[in-house]
Amino acid sequence: MLRPTTKDLAKAAGVSRATVDRVLNGREGVKKNTVDRVNLAIKELGFVRNIQAANLARSQRYRFVFALPRSGDLFLKEIVRHIDEASETFATDLVWCDVVHIDENDPHSISAFLGTLDPNETTGVAIMAPESPQVRDAIFRLQERGVAALPFIADQSAMEEHWVGTDHHAAGATAATLIGRFSHASEGSVLVVSESMRSRDSLERRIGFDAEMNKHFPGLRTLPSLETYGDEERAERIIHNSVNNNPDLIGAYVLSSEARVPLTILNDTMNSDHLIKISHERTPFTEAALRNGDLDGVIAQDPGHLVRSAVRKLKAITDRLVAKGSQERIRVEVLLRTNI
Amino acid sequence: MLRPTTKDLAKAAGVSRATVDRVLNGREGVKKNTVDRVNLAIKELGFVRNIQAANLARSQRYRFVFALPRSGDLFLKEIVRHIDEASETFATDLVWCDVVHIDENDPHSISAFLGTLDPNETTGVAIMAPESPQVRDAIFRLQERGVAALPFIADQSAMEEHWVGTDHHAAGATAATLIGRFSHASEGSVLVVSESMRSRDSLERRIGFDAEMNKHFPGLRTLPSLETYGDEERAERIIHNSVNNNPDLIGAYVLSSEARVPLTILNDTMNSDHLIKISHERTPFTEAALRNGDLDGVIAQDPGHLVRSAVRKLKAITDRLVAKGSQERIRVEVLLRTNI
DNA sequence: CCATTTTTGAGGCACGTGCATCATAAATAT
DNA sequence: ATATTTATGATGCACGTGCCTCAAAAATGG
């Protein structure tokens, strides 16, 4: 039994193909009664619109924009690399991807940028930016103008059905598990370093980390978050301080995606061989650190998977197939030396 | 700049659309010289055949068969569940999936089954069966008849470019890392239980496990593999024996995908709370065991990812886009209580 | 009732490719 | 040279859907 076509639909509903077309594409000028008849036939026949044929007819193409922070962060570089790769992989699906850099901390400029996007040129946008009212409103306006929008990695709580990223709470808790179980000390303190605690991701990781530590490793004391603000001198000063004040250090958790600076400083400051060190994201640096033992574990989200998932979700949204993409959950990965 | 079509190609190569068509679809009756001219034009224009349009023209559909062992194993059940799910997800791509059960240990019957597959009905097959000359030959014959074939989870060394599964050596090594690092004992022995050591996966996991143990945890002694052959009584006897003979047990590694029987027996046989226990694959049982502490870690391959990856690979092969699908590497996942 | 508006039908072209047929041109054999 | 084979061109339909136009039918208003 072949897939029913619009012709079959028309016959089943007792209307013409023109009317079926009007209903399918939400054109007006059709009586409610007729609309219902057609929708009933759709259900009865199990009609599914052939998207390839539809795209052919409209010569539709998908152009997706990834709006990413400007930072030179290694993780971001990986993301960009995978976007280029995905551009090739999805070329046969008529999908093109571009990267645009935004000022992540300037909601106003982000909102302005989103406002400039033309639905005729841009099919959808994946946005990696911290939550803010301006951005949220801009996203809503964008959607109203017919551009698909998808929070990417950084989540916008306003639209939780549509977003691509991991469960930060679980990620933080997993970091805690690794430190707690890898460490053979039953007492001691744990350094927590972050670039900034202003983002929701960082906060949630920290909460998950503390919850797990308190519950399962009560002997271990988690120190207040050290915020580097991306400033090396400042990082050096505060890490140095903390190391001196806490001689019972048994581990360190770097919860921002840029692990290089804090870890390098830590290693320079003290002999940190006995510390359990956990950081985030697979990058050339963290891979190398895992291999040579500078890191004991990495909590990661697969950048390739993130990107491909975002593309598929954006495509599903523009094709109006919202329901399906749900199973695309991004896992909290644990990377050890042996499974890089 | 729009994508060039066969019309553009014809113009650029100075031939007719009919000839372009003959070249593109490998029909004969074209002079070598002309073929070269067309291929040159393909490269110069960067022509990519519009597969959606091609499929439409041929009313091509993809029907993929998953040939799986008959066993009632939880992991296999998960795989089947995800195949059903994928069937829905990929419906819009004109892909249908069916599951067929085979006698994994009877190469002759597998070969016979593969021989019955009709290229007109079956576009491709994902085969999960242990390596054997008969199966290998049957796969080659299948491919010659125009059916795409893909070793699935169980690998066939003869075709390493095309297969979907994880690096078993790394998986075994990761199990060793977890036991070695989670255990606070510097000396002791580790139980290794398997359903059978006849499959390549089991052997490779075991090799990876031992290599890592010997190199990084020399104080820990890995015991010879206990093979249950799926027989509960036998399992009980040999596990019981081994526990009695090795009072210094500090951990257990179950390397087959069925973890329930050995773990249950182990828990019944002794107070195994202090043991570090690692097994394979995410199943309802292992998830529950992680949650309540009966398992300390699970080494897994995402069944959904495995299935979707197989579908995409089979599709890529039939669309003759072999190069791209390569980045679809299946990760060796580490599951802990916190990142289930 | 007629005039007007709304709803529906009929039909056709387009998208890019596969596939078929028939005619013509070029190469090769005799 | 002519007959035969081989290579190429010209053309047209099909796939399933979007989108357009024009006419006809039905509903609505007065």
Side-chain angles (χ1 to χ4, degrees), chain B residues 163-212:
Chain B
W163 87 290
V164 170
T166 52
D167 177 341
H168 302 305
H169 188 98
T174 305
T177 306
L178 288 181
I179 292 185
R181 300 213 57 172
F182 279 0
S183 172
H184 293 191
S186 59
E187 300 208 335
S189 57
V190 181
L191 206 62
V192 179
V193 187
S194 169
E195 207 168 309
S196 144
M197 293 301 289
R198 277 174 309 196
S199 72
R200 224 179 100 179
D201 333 2
S202 298
L203 285 174
E204 287 178 1
R205 284 177 184 167
R206 174 81 219 215
I207 292 170
F209 185 74
D210 286 355
E212 179 68 15

Side-chain angles (χ1 to χ4, degrees), chain A residues 15-16 19 22 29-31 34 56-57:
Chain A
V15 299
S16 73
T19 301
R22 291 178 183 118
V30 185
K31 269 201 295 184
T34 315
L56 180 59

Side-chain angles (χ1 to χ4, degrees), chain A residues 55 232 246 297 308 336:
Chain A
N55 285 347
E232 277 201 48
N246 299 282
R308 289 190 296 271
L336 306 174

Side-chain angles (χ1 to χ4, degrees), chain B residues 43-310:
Chain B
K43 266 187 201 131
E44 278 179 350
L45 294 193
F47 171 83
V48 182
R49 159 214 257 106
N50 183 332
I51 299 173
Q52 358 275 333
N55 286 346
L56 181 59
R58 284 183 303 173
S59 32
Q60 149 102 55
R61 282 142 181 63
Y62 305 85
R63 183 184 168 249
F64 296 137
V65 170
F66 282 80
L68 307 179
R70 215 174 291 279
S71 119
D73 179 324
L74 283 179
F75 177 59
L76 263 180
K77 286 215 179 97
E78 287 293 304
I79 292 283
V80 171
R81 194 169 64 76
H82 279 96
I83 293 173
D84 294 340
E85 236 182 75
S87 255
E88 289 177 34
T89 315
F90 285 101
T92 55
D93 296 324
L94 307 174
V95 170
W96 273 261
C97 296
D98 286 321
V99 174
V100 172
H101 288 287
I102 54 179
D103 273 327
E104 53 174 326
N105 293 318
D106 180 359
H108 187 261
S109 80
I110 297 175
S111 160
F113 163 71
L114 294 181
T116 67
L117 291 175
D118 177 359
N120 297 317
E121 287 182 349
T122 305
T123 327
V125 201
I127 304 156
M128 179 170 172
E131 199 168 6
S132 80
Q134 285 104 317
V135 171
R136 196 196 53 207
D137 290 351
I139 288 180
F140 282 138
R141 265 177 275 131
L142 201 59
Q143 291 177 323
E144 273 167 17
R145 288 193 294 128
V147 179
L150 187 69
F152 183 60
I153 304 181
D155 45 337
Q156 303 282 334
S157 54
M159 33 190 315
E160 285 178 344
E161 336 82 280
H162 290 316
W163 87 290
V164 170
T166 52
D167 177 341
H168 302 305
H169 188 98
T174 305
T177 306
L178 288 181
I179 292 185
R181 300 213 57 172
F182 279 0
S183 172
H184 293 191
S186 59
E187 300 208 335
S189 57
V190 181
L191 206 62
V192 179
V193 187
S194 169
E195 207 168 309
S196 144
M197 293 301 289
R198 277 174 309 196
S199 72
R200 224 179 100 179
D201 333 2
S202 298
L203 285 174
E204 287 178 1
R205 284 177 184 167
R206 174 81 219 215
I207 292 170
F209 185 74
D210 286 355
E212 179 68 15
M213 274 296 185
N214 292 336
K215 184 154 180 211
H216 291 276
F217 308 98
L220 302 182
R221 199 161 47 95
T222 61
L223 299 174
S225 310
L226 300 182
E227 296 179 85
T228 66
Y229 300 140
D231 174 344
E232 276 200 48
E233 276 180 47
R234 178 187 160 86
E236 187 153 1
R237 200 173 64 243
I238 56 183
I239 291 177
H240 202 88
N241 256 350
S242 197
V243 166
N244 284 342
N245 294 337
N246 299 283
D248 63 341
L249 226 51
I250 63 99
Y253 174 36
V254 180
L255 54 65
S256 50
S257 65
E258 175 54 73
R260 192 165 34 172
V261 170
L263 278 175
T264 311
I265 293 177
L266 193 62
N267 285 339
D268 291 352
T269 306
M270 66 184 287
N271 177 358
S272 64
D273 288 357
H274 65 287
L275 291 190
I276 307 296
K277 283 154 291 182
I278 305 292
S279 81
H280 277 274
E281 312 314 352
R282 172 199 300 271
T283 66
F285 171 77
T286 56
E287 283 189 10
L290 276 173
R291 288 218 172 77
N292 70 24
D294 276 351
L295 269 175
D296 298 278
V298 167
I299 312 295
Q301 36 189 346
D302 184 334
H305 195 183
L306 283 166
V307 169
R308 291 190 294 271
S309 182

